[in-house]
Amino acid sequence: MRSTSRQRLYRTEAIILRRQDFGEADKLLTLYTPGLGKTRVLAKGVRKPKSRKGGHVELFTHSNLLIAKGRSLDIVTQAETIHSFLPIRRDLLRTSYAYYAAELVDKFTEEGVENRPLFDLFLDALFWLGDAEDLDLPLRYFELHLLGCVGYRPQLFQCLRCTRPIESVTSFFSPEDGGLLCSGCGKRERGCQEVSPQALATLRYLQTRDYAVCQRLKVDGPAHEELETLMRRYIIYLLERKLKSVDFIDALRREETASARPILEERIGS
Ligand SMILES: [Zn+2]
């Protein structure tokens, strides 16, 4: 009997992507793991004040979990924090950015599909979002590389219609085509966004270089706005829906903290 019970346990690292109340005192956790991809497990009793596991399965926590196979849902039996990402938790804007990153991972992945590069990218991004002064820079880097990891790497060098190389003049981003069109092909197209040479240079830089180099980039406000609009439109097009976390980021920027805070805190859970 002993060997059977051992086979029914497995250990994995995980980042907590999502938490939902389940039953009286439990939480249903959506995890992102290096070897199993996205998976859902039950954490029993974690909503009780005295729960020992509770602190180790908070949103964004990088934890080491021991999980028992269950008939319908697997169950967390032990949890130990590896990284708690306190800087993200202490700052509401950082929290909203991390929440957006987690929502992207959740929406762009299927359960049970391993994607180690995406796990590594997401883990790195949580450090960057706790650390960066200009939060939009790591977020754009994360979006671009996440899209690469899940098969939607935007084409930024060649026109997707006439295949000519894109020069550093005004070009057009087409969500439908998944990348750039040259000025000749793009200006006749509906649903394309004009891309300035500065925004294009930034996108290319972020797509092709390591974050260690990219974090030194200085991007001005208008270019950031342009890039955010472009990436959001592409992502909304791919997912065929808007993300909830985008509303939180926007509300915080408009300084509507009073309305955003309780909803965000409720989602993050404690
Ligand atoms: Zn063209």
Side-chain angles (χ1 to χ4, degrees):
M1 290 307 284
R2 186 173 269 262
S3 65
T4 326
S5 71
R6 206 179 291 152
Q7 281 163 5
R8 299 187 63 223
L9 285 175
Y10 59 95
R11 194 174 279 286
T12 181
E13 264 179 67
I15 301 167
I16 318 300
L17 277 187
R18 199 165 163 217
R19 295 157 46 99
Q20 293 155 276
D21 286 350
F22 194 90
E24 293 269 302
D26 308 341
K27 285 267 187 197
L28 186 61
L29 306 178
T30 306
L31 309 175
Y32 204 69
T33 70
L36 308 163
K38 182 167 76 175
T39 181
R40 295 207 296 169
V41 297
L42 197 59
K44 289 195 160 194
V46 289
R47 278 151 62 212
K48 289 181 189 156
K50 281 185 193 159
S51 166
R52 267 183 296 157
K53 282 195 290 286
H56 302 287
V57 294
E58 282 178 26
L59 200 62
F60 320 131
T61 307
H62 176 212
S63 292
N64 214 324
L65 305 177
L66 187 66
I67 299 171
K69 279 207 182 295
R71 239 185 297 169
S72 55
L73 277 167
D74 293 357
I75 295 163
V76 178
T77 61
Q78 278 174 33
E80 193 188 350
T81 301
I82 305 171
H83 297 106
S84 59
F85 299 110
L86 280 179
I88 289 178
R89 278 167 221 292
R90 286 190 187 128
D91 177 316
L92 204 56
L93 192 63
R94 290 185 198 276
T95 307
S96 68
Y97 276 55
Y99 183 63
Y100 171 76
E103 198 176 8
L104 284 188
V105 173
D106 190 11
K107 295 288 190 289
F108 274 104
T109 55
E110 301 290 334
E111 283 188 39
V113 181
E114 180 187 348
N115 191 333
R116 180 74 204 219
L118 180 56
F119 177 86
D120 292 339
L121 173 71
F122 184 39
L123 185 58
D124 285 343
L126 292 173
F127 284 102
W128 306 332
L129 291 173
D131 196 47
E133 275 177 44
D134 175 0
L135 283 181
D136 290 297
L137 199 63
L139 198 64
R140 295 289 91 79
Y141 183 95
F142 175 74
E143 288 169 333
L144 277 166
H145 288 263
L146 171 136
L147 291 171
C149 288
V150 296
Y152 294 110
R153 181 188 165 95
Q155 169 58 258
L156 301 176
F157 293 89
Q158 250 189 331
C159 174
L160 284 161
R161 296 285 166 83
C162 70
T163 73
R164 276 192 216 118
I166 303 271
E167 311 290 342
S168 50
V169 290
T170 299
S171 52
F172 292 85
F173 191 88
S174 163
E176 203 180 321
D177 292 88
L180 290 180
L181 306 183
C182 71
S183 54
C185 296
K187 72 181 162 223
R188 294 187 298 270
E189 287 296 320
R190 283 209 196 159
C192 281
Q193 182 186 332
E194 210 174 296
V195 184
S196 69
Q198 195 206 344
L200 175 59
T202 309
L203 281 174
R204 285 176 169 175
Y205 201 88
L206 292 174
Q207 190 184 55
T208 54
R209 284 174 176 76
D210 287 340
Y211 182 74
V213 183
C214 292
Q215 65 177 340
R216 294 197 288 267
L217 268 182
K218 296 273 177 264
V219 180
D220 63 26
H224 259 323
E225 269 177 45
E226 187 184 342
L227 293 170
E228 182 181 75
T229 307
L230 185 155
M231 292 306 293
R232 280 186 182 181
R233 282 177 64 180
Y234 184 38
I235 285 165
I236 288 166
Y237 174 82
L238 292 172
L239 294 174
E240 297 178 321
R241 68 184 136 187
K242 209 174 159 202
L243 296 164
K244 277 177 277 181
S245 48
V246 165
D247 297 333
F248 293 127
I249 294 176
D250 291 346
L252 289 173
R253 289 213 192 114
R254 291 193 304 265
E255 295 182 357
E256 289 170 6
T257 314
S259 62
R261 183 187 293 271
I263 310 168
L264 190 56
E265 280 171 356
E266 194 233 340
R267 289 207 182 272
I268 284 150
S270 52

